[in-house]
Amino acid sequence: MAFTHLLVSDSAGTTVSHGMHCEGPLTGLYRLALSRSYRKGMPTALANLLRLAEQGPPPPRTAK
């Protein structure tokens, strides 16, 4: 199972694309088990990813 995220920024804002690729003998089982929760949680996850991307990188950490 692999996930991809692509964020593209331009003058109109930032666009987020997300994908999931699953292959192998248990693909059908994973799809069945995860599809409902994936569809339910993905809008929130992508909105959070977009918010973090638009905030820019976090400040550098200082050594303790």
Side-chain angles (χ1 to χ4, degrees):
M1 186 178 302
F3 296 92
T4 59
H5 300 76
L6 177 65
L7 292 92
V8 178
S9 294
D10 61 20
S11 61
T14 304
T15 303
V16 178
S17 298
H18 176 79
M20 182 181 109
H21 178 77
C22 187
E23 65 180 60
L26 298 177
T27 297
L29 179 62
Y30 277 113
R31 261 193 208 137
L32 185 62
L34 299 175
S35 64
R36 183 179 293 149
S37 62
Y38 184 78
R39 276 185 262 136
K40 183 179 178 184
M42 195 49 54
T44 300
L46 291 179
N48 288 337
L49 180 62
L50 179 60
R51 180 180 49 79
L52 290 170
E54 289 180 336
Q55 285 177 355
R61 298 178 104 183
T62 58
K64 291 184 180 183

